[in-house]
Amino acid sequence: MKGIRDPKLWPIAEKVEAGERLTFAEGLILYQTRDLTGLMRLANRVREKKHGHKTYFVHSIRVSQTNICYVGCTFCAFQRRFGEEGAWDWDVEEVVAWVRARYQPGLTEIHVTAGHHPKRPFQYYLDLVRALKASFPGVQVKAWTAAEIHHFSKIARLPYKEVLQALKEAGLDAMPGGGAEIFAERVRKEIARAKVSAAGWLLIHRIAHELGIPTNATMLYGHIETLEERLDHMDRLRQLQDETGGFMSFIPLAFQPDGNLLAKKLGKREFTTGLDDLRNLAVARLYLDNIPHIKGYWATLTPELAQVSLDWGVTDIDGTLIEERIVHMAGSPTPEGLSKAALARIILAAGRIPVERDALYREVRVWDRVEA
Ligand code: V47
């Protein structure tokens, strides 16, 4: 392939052309090469082979029924204790009213993630899915991370499979990819000690896929993890995807430093830089050959870098994100939402084709132009 200067990338380029799988050692070469434009070209080759110029986004609202949480992840600025200032805990009707007040025609996805509330019974979550589906017909509910499913299983004393089956019967359409953080035990012990284990997270996604619930997968990076630990994280996802095929997208989440213990403990405020973020996305595109989409999550990247990332393997920029709170409470300086037109304009200006999708990646509309 033209334009690749680092000789270590040449055999990798041949494998990419032949559609062959990269090894762990080759993944590390991608993380270490100084030939960033070569890396970009390789990732872009894969993105164009898979999806051409199409770039996806979704009209989505972010809902958190509570921020009360007993888990205490050190990277989290969202969690509150009972009675603490800024804590909320809504009944089903309050959640529905909150969404109704922000509802916009054409909304396709309600994305729900929240704290692990110690007292709400499992029935509350079933009622919430049913109420959202009944109140907003046609809208898909993508709700609760594997960490929350683990919590439901504990409070309901039910196996994962029964929890997921019941949620599916109540109307759950898909699951978000949060709670994965970094799978490596060394890191997990430090940042998410009381959360679902890596094995538990993977098992829950396996069962969800077996039940026909498509899911996403995230990776929280840019804190104390090594590059090997990032690749190990991707490797475990790639293995599971080989078996189930149920992941729709992979979303690297760049660590945001405000209001959390981890940044305080590390004693710094600057974490990933733009090129770290782009490199990480490109490695993900090349290593995760079996996951359809790599997301450039503009809420952590910024809309500007998300636009650039479309040349680095990214084929999805998430969506309108009405009232995103998790990364904004941790200091993300980005807007609290973007209009569909703004997203389409970003994609068009990068020379790509904006495709509005639903939560399951079915195409809703191709935006061939945006009114001024
Ligand atoms: O697991 C928490 C992350 C995740 C911080 O499936 C932070 O489409 C950065 O599930 N800095 C939850 N990240 C969010 C989530 C998600 C996000 C985007 C897309 C999708 C999807 C799902 O938020 C947590 C954690 O990794 N997070 N705190 C922080 N300080």
Side-chain angles (χ1 to χ4, degrees):
M1 200 183 292
K2 271 195 204 144
I4 297 180
R5 287 176 286 110
D6 180 356
K8 286 200 183 139
L9 292 183
W10 295 344
I12 297 179
E14 274 173 29
K15 282 178 102 172
V16 166
E17 272 314 304
E20 286 171 26
R21 175 157 284 187
L22 303 187
T23 64
F24 197 92
E26 287 164 338
L28 273 183
I29 292 174
L30 300 176
Y31 267 128
Q32 286 156 353
T33 183
R34 292 177 61 82
D35 182 5
L36 279 167
T37 52
L39 176 64
M40 175 188 75
R41 284 199 166 89
L42 288 177
N44 191 51
R45 180 85 183 113
V46 174
R47 92 88 86 192
E48 288 186 4
K49 272 210 246 180
K50 282 189 185 288
H51 301 289
H53 290 297
K54 285 185 172 178
T55 302
Y56 293 81
F57 67 93
V58 61
H59 196 15
S60 170
I61 188 164
R62 295 306 211 235
V63 184
S64 299
Q65 75 278 357
T66 185
N67 60 350
I68 292 175
C69 191
Y70 61 80
V71 174
C73 297
T74 62
F75 53 78
C76 180
F78 174 81
Q79 61 189 310
R80 294 289 182 276
R81 303 273 161 183
F82 276 111
E84 194 178 334
E85 205 191 322
W88 72 84
D89 173 22
W90 296 332
D91 291 333
V92 168
E93 300 69 40
E94 290 175 298
V95 178
V96 170
W98 189 90
V99 175
R100 198 179 299 287
R102 289 153 183 84
Y103 181 85
Q104 296 167 6
L107 189 81
T108 48
E109 177 187 273
I110 302 179
H111 167 126
V112 194
T113 53
H116 293 35
H117 190 290
K119 296 208 174 130
R120 292 270 186 198
F122 182 45
Q123 188 60 42
Y124 163 83
Y125 301 96
L126 297 174
D127 293 345
L128 183 50
V129 176
R130 278 200 200 96
L132 289 171
K133 293 294 281 190
S135 310
F136 309 101
V139 175
Q140 295 160 327
V141 174
K142 178 173 116 221
W144 299 307
T145 66
E148 290 156 289
I149 301 296
H150 174 74
H151 166 67
F152 302 163
S153 148
K154 283 204 299 192
I155 52 171
R157 297 178 189 229
L158 287 173
Y160 295 150
K161 188 169 176 184
E162 284 183 39
V163 168
L164 288 165
Q165 186 68 49
L167 286 168
K168 186 171 185 212
E169 279 162 20
L172 185 80
D173 294 288
M175 272 169 59
E181 321 316 352
I182 291 281
F183 291 142
E185 190 59 20
R186 180 194 75 86
V187 179
R188 219 169 172 79
K189 253 180 19 209
E190 284 289 315
I191 68 169
R193 184 183 287 273
K195 200 168 219 164
V196 65
S197 67
W201 191 98
L202 289 161
L203 177 60
I204 289 165
H205 282 261
R206 176 190 292 278
I207 296 170
H209 298 170
E210 284 166 2
L211 292 174
I213 304 168
T215 72
N216 293 328
T218 57
M219 175 175 78
L220 178 69
Y221 71 100
H223 41 89
I224 58 166
E225 83 291 355
T226 62
L227 298 179
E228 284 83 354
E229 285 162 343
R230 285 191 205 174
L231 269 181
D232 165 70
H233 188 93
M234 291 186 208
D235 204 63
R236 296 194 211 192
L237 293 172
R238 191 168 76 172
Q239 281 177 39
L240 180 56
Q241 180 75 340
D242 274 344
E243 292 178 53
T244 66
F247 289 118
M248 302 178 285
S249 73
F250 176 65
I251 309 128
L253 297 169
F255 176 56
Q256 308 292 308
D258 279 2
N260 63 67
L261 228 63
L262 181 58
K264 218 183 205 168
K265 227 167 112 182
L266 295 172
K268 54 178 191 171
R269 296 212 26 88
E270 303 301 328
F271 290 87
T272 66
T273 65
L275 280 173
D276 297 334
D277 295 330
L278 293 173
R279 181 197 289 271
N280 194 59
L281 290 162
V283 176
R285 180 59 289 163
L286 289 159
Y287 201 77
L288 293 172
D289 52 10
N290 53 4
I291 296 190
H293 294 281
I294 305 298
K295 258 192 210 181
Y297 191 53
W298 64 258
T300 53
L301 293 176
T302 73
E304 292 79 7
L305 198 63
Q307 183 187 43
V308 176
S309 77
L310 305 187
D311 285 350
W312 293 72
V314 164
T315 47
D316 187 296
I317 56 170
D318 203 296
T320 45
L321 301 186
I322 303 168
E323 297 214 23
E324 197 293 324
R325 300 194 192 199
I326 295 175
V327 298
H328 284 93
M329 285 170 79
S332 169
T334 58
E336 288 225 337
L338 286 176
S339 68
K340 290 198 281 188
L343 293 168
R345 192 172 300 118
I346 284 170
I347 297 168
L348 278 171
R352 307 292 185 174
I353 303 166
V355 183
E356 187 181 340
R357 62 166 175 87
D358 68 8
L360 308 176
Y361 283 86
R362 289 186 298 229
E363 297 190 7
V364 174
R365 175 183 165 194
V366 176
W367 286 63
D368 42 17
R369 71 199 156 84
V370 183
E371 305 304 332

